[in-house]
């Protein structure tokens, strides 16, 4: 969205914006002195939107932190200013079974956040407690800064949730993974997961949907393997494990498909190494009726 700027999160609870022009690489905005800023490490930050007012352009960001707060920021790059637009607090005890929640709030540390396909007001939050929460930026508009954004909860993981990723091909599908060694395929409309995948590779730290194949996604595992699933071929086991099992490797902390070159897949390891994998043409080329298959999975496992 902002080609010359990058936003980063901080272990000190700050949200920072850096300008990456050819003649400077300087910090232009920091939330450190803002009233209502995070008090614990920031775990996720995302660009939301932009607005042009005269010659000045401002941007909206959203951040999540271990203090259980979700903050929407307005960042004015030209005037080097940042302000809090909205501030929410996650429920202290969201519950484990899923469903509608009360408005009680407290400190439930957030770990990850994702917005569904073509929706910038609803978002999914994963928590340190294992809770998975459906939230809305419209929840409690105009109320106190500690109002809960939660409108629904999903079946929890047994342990912290490390990643949530929404499908780029279906507005109601998302993946979650965490320390219980399971990856759940969820519908935004149901509290229980549609599919539960347990590859027996230890903790699952990261997930990434293919940008070109609606039924393909990859997972990063504690045991050093990148697992690629193709739901058209197998709805239980991965179709590829990179590298092959048998090798003792450091944990894979993150995995990501290249959005413009879908045949490339990056994996980041605990010791700081990054591998770039070249996936087969079968895994990058959309299959006949694949989108329909994704819709069928929703219908079959929703009944």
């Amino acid at each position: 969205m902002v080609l010359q700027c990058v936003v980063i999160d901080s272990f000190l609870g700050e949200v920072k914006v850096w300008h990456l022009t050819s003649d400077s690489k300087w910090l232009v905005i920091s939330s450190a002195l803002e009233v209502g800023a995070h008090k614990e490490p920031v775990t996720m930050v995302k660009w939301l939107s932009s607005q042009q007012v005269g010659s000045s352009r401002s941007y909206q960001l959203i951040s999540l932190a271990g203090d259980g707060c979700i903050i929407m920021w307005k960042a004015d790059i030209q005037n080097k200013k940042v302000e809090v637009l909205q501030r929410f607090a996650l429920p202290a005890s969201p519950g484990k079974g899923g469903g509608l929640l009360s408005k009680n709030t407290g400190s439930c540390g957030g770990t990850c956040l994702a917005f569904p396909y073509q929706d910038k007001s609803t978002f999914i939050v994963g928590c340190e407690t294992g809770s998975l929460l459906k939230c809305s930026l419209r929840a409690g508009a105009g109320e106190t800064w500690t109002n809960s954004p939660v409108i629904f909860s999903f079946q929890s993981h047994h342990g912290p949730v490390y990643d949530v990723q929404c499908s780029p091909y279906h507005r109601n599908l998302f993946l979650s993974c965490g320390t219980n060694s399971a990856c759940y395929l969820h519908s935004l409309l149901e509290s229980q997961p549609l599919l539960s995948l347990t590859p027996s590779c230890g903790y699952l730290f990261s997930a990434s949907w293919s940008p070109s194949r609606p039924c393909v996604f990859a997972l990063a595992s504690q045991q050093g393997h990148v697992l690629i699933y193709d739901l058209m071929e197998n709805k239980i086991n991965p179709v590829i494990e990179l590298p092959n099992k048998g090798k003792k490797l450091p944990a894979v902390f993150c995995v990501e498909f290249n959005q413009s070159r879908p045949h490339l897949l990056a994996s980041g390891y605990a010791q700081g190494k990054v591998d770039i994998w070249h996936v087969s043409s079968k895994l990058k080329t959309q299959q006949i009726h694949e989108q329909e298959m994704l819709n069928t999975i929703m219908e079959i496992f929703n009944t």
Side-chain angles (χ1 to χ4, degrees), residues 114-175:
F115 283 83
Y117 176 56
Q118 294 184 335
D119 189 343
K120 291 302 181 184
S121 62
T122 302
F123 57 99
I124 312 301
V125 173
C127 301
E128 294 173 351
T129 59
S131 298
L132 275 171
L133 308 173
K134 181 179 179 181
C135 302
S136 173
L137 292 175
R138 299 190 179 100
E143 297 184 19
T144 67
W145 272 15
T146 57
N147 191 64
S148 170
V150 180
I151 55 178
F152 194 75
S153 72
F154 305 94
Q155 178 178 305
S156 300
H157 286 263
H158 300 291
V161 181
Y162 281 130
D163 200 11
V164 288
Q165 292 291 332
C166 295
S167 169
Y169 286 93
H170 199 295
R171 63 181 181 179
N172 289 325
L173 284 179
F174 72 96
L175 296 168

Side-chain angles (χ1 to χ4, degrees), residues 15 100 142 236 243 265:
V15 173
L100 297 175
I236 299 175
L265 176 67

